[in-house]
Amino acid sequence: MPWRRRSNRVSALEGGREEEAHPEAAAVPPALLTSPQQTEAAAERILLRGIFEIGRDSCDVVLSERALRWRPIQPERPAGDSKYDLLCKEEFIELKDIFSVKLKRRCSVKQQRSGTLLGITLFICLKKEQNKLKNSTLDLINLSEDHCDIWFRQFKKILAVMEYEGHALSLLKECELQGFDGGHRKPLFAIHWSVQRLFTGIQTLEPSVVCVGGDGSASEVAHALLLRAQKNAGMETDRILTPVRAQLPLGLIPAGSTNVLAHSLHGVPHVITATLHIIMGHVQLVDVCTFSTAGKLLRFGFSAMFGFGGRTLALAEKYRWMSPNQRRDFAVVKALAKLKAEDCEISFLPFNSSDDVQERRAQGSPKSDCNDQWQMIQGQFLNVSIMAIPCLCSVAPRGLAPNTRLNNGSMALIIARNTSRPEFIKHLKRYASVKNQFNFPFVETYTVEEVKVHPRNNTGGYNPEEEEDETASENCFPWNVDGDLMEVASEVHIRLHPRLISLYGGSMEEMIPK
């Protein structure tokens, strides 16, 4: 029987081969070094070394400060035997990819709490194609209680990186997050069972907030965390020029219809990938915008659309009884049928990448001063987009703003001037392809730090000659801010604030499709 064979094999190796390394322990033996990574491992201090069965092989296992390495134990063969060298190739996993550990036991029906010890199970995070991550396990089989206890305690020590208990709770008590389930969205902290089981027993999670939902829910939670940070810093929240960074990192698990923010963070709207980024502590600092009018803060956010984008969302909000996809498609068609331009004056501050300016702004100096050169354009505009993130989504796999990154200190200002309906539709269709969606004579793009959008039509787009205007309240203009409808009657001022919030996600350089 397989277990008897394993028992005989492992028990013969118990008792003397496991050793705890002393601080002066030199390095991995030369026999284990067969690659550049293994050569680098020679400088690492060995924490433990012992024998475990991995797969069907008895292996010499070495735990160092940064990796777990193992090599099958084989009878001695003549030197230079290439077939033998291939069979004995060393394998390893980096400790940063391990997120949990438990003792592996075989339990019978009568043994509800404990059973026969089989070894140790490591829970690890692996990279897949297209930016996806997956969870996997590695079993280290050894029937010795003492042997496994030493290794288990060492792994627990490595994973014990959490801050003091109650730190997150003490901050969250002041965040007032209970109001963010708007009735039409999924519960904020409800986690699907396939995700919930990944969190069970995790030792590496630092204090954080996890939001399960779409763009609207994610943006609201980010706004709450940033607003609370300003209050904790004693700042006046109505007028914020230089906001302070949020105190807790935010994890986003996509559960909405578009999931632009989660898609931009992870490179793919994949629930398990998002969860593993949170578990593994892959944190990125992300740029955030403030939206204000008449000097008063309206909200924090990551992207906004005015004109066609705002009108489409305003229409969709009136048909919430439809499914999300039906509502979106219906609103797009209806907004195209009533396509109209907005008479606007747009002022913007071009992005200045010089080191001295960036250093001054990183230190919290106000962005606007007498040396900054504002530019102004005016006319009839079908759509105006201001985006601090690339805004990847299923209908725009390269992103609505493909040249923007999560934390490059700038925003993309994308303007579509008035044109014919067929030409504007061609522009929209380009987002779903690999072609340049900005290669139209009526589309202009700018890299900016601040934007002011001033509608010159005081009626908020309301036309009494039309049968109905479903897209705006009288004297208000609809804005789409991260999937939430914001109605404003006057000028909106958008400022970028670099690296203002920590979000869980992978490296942007690996995510943006080329």
Side-chain angles (χ1 to χ4, degrees), residues 485-502:
L485 180 62
M486 182 178 76
E487 294 184 324
V488 187
S490 58
E491 177 183 277
V492 175
H493 186 177
I494 303 99
R495 283 189 178 97
L496 183 83
H497 304 278
R499 300 170 176 259
L500 198 59
I501 192 170
S502 298

Side-chain angles (χ1 to χ4, degrees), residues 395 424-434 437 440:
V395 296
F424 185 67
I425 292 174
K426 286 181 184 179
H427 163 61
L428 296 180
K429 286 183 175 180
R430 283 276 184 92
Y431 281 97
S433 70
V434 296
Q437 61 261 44
F440 291 90

Side-chain angles (χ1 to χ4, degrees), residues 6 56 87 101 161 191 196 204 268 352 450 455-456 466:
R6 175 178 291 169
R56 295 189 175 185
L87 290 173
V101 60
V161 295
I191 300 179
Q196 196 171 31
T204 57
V268 62
N352 190 335
E450 293 187 48
R456 296 191 293 190
E466 294 183 2

Side-chain angles (χ1 to χ4, degrees), residues 340-344 378-382 416-419 456:
K340 58 185 295 185
E342 298 286 1
D343 186 14
C344 292
Q378 55 187 353
Q380 300 283 324
F381 304 104
L382 289 176
R417 290 184 178 269
N418 196 15
T419 188
R456 296 191 293 190

Side-chain angles (χ1 to χ4, degrees), residues 45-227:
R45 183 168 64 91
I46 296 176
L47 303 177
L48 288 174
R49 185 171 185 174
I51 302 297
F52 287 95
E53 185 171 332
I54 301 177
R56 295 189 175 185
D57 295 318
S58 291
C59 296
D60 180 11
V61 183
V62 176
L63 176 63
S64 65
E65 293 175 314
R66 290 192 294 178
L68 179 74
R69 305 172 186 277
W70 64 94
R71 176 193 289 270
I73 299 173
Q74 298 286 348
E76 291 187 4
R77 299 279 184 94
D81 189 332
S82 58
K83 183 177 180 181
Y84 169 72
D85 292 339
L86 183 63
L87 290 173
C88 295
K89 184 178 179 180
E90 180 188 89
E91 297 183 71
F92 71 95
I93 55 173
E94 296 184 71
L95 296 188
K96 66 181 180 65
D97 293 330
I98 301 174
F99 60 85
S100 190
V101 60
K102 74 172 185 178
L103 292 172
K104 182 179 179 66
R105 297 183 182 274
R106 179 173 53 195
C107 299
S108 63
V109 177
K110 297 181 180 180
Q111 296 173 311
Q112 296 182 356
R113 293 190 177 181
S114 63
T116 304
L117 178 69
L118 300 177
I120 299 171
T121 297
L122 301 177
F123 296 85
I124 57 179
C125 174
L126 301 177
K127 290 184 179 180
K128 294 176 65 178
E129 73 286 348
Q130 297 179 340
N131 302 310
K132 288 186 179 179
L133 302 179
K134 74 170 185 177
N135 62 302
S136 186
T137 58
L138 177 69
D139 291 332
L140 308 178
I141 303 301
N142 190 302
L143 305 186
S144 169
E145 291 272 0
D146 293 339
H147 185 83
C148 290
D149 182 65
I150 293 173
W151 282 73
F152 179 72
R153 283 190 286 108
Q154 184 64 56
F155 279 119
K156 294 282 283 187
K157 182 179 178 181
I158 291 170
L159 294 174
V161 295
M162 290 185 67
E163 297 184 29
Y164 68 89
E165 292 184 8
H167 175 65
L169 182 60
S170 66
L171 293 173
L172 286 176
K173 281 181 178 177
E174 302 297 328
C175 280
E176 302 170 2
L177 297 175
Q178 65 271 17
F180 295 146
D181 179 8
H184 55 266
R185 296 197 179 103
K186 295 180 180 295
L188 186 61
F189 295 104
I191 300 179
H192 190 270
W193 70 268
S194 63
V195 173
Q196 196 171 31
R197 64 188 176 89
L198 290 180
F199 283 107
T200 304
I202 302 303
Q203 300 297 317
T204 57
L205 284 177
E206 295 186 358
S208 56
V209 177
V210 176
C211 172
V212 183
D215 292 316
S217 297
S219 180
E220 283 185 79
V221 177
H223 171 76
L225 290 174
L226 286 163
L227 203 60

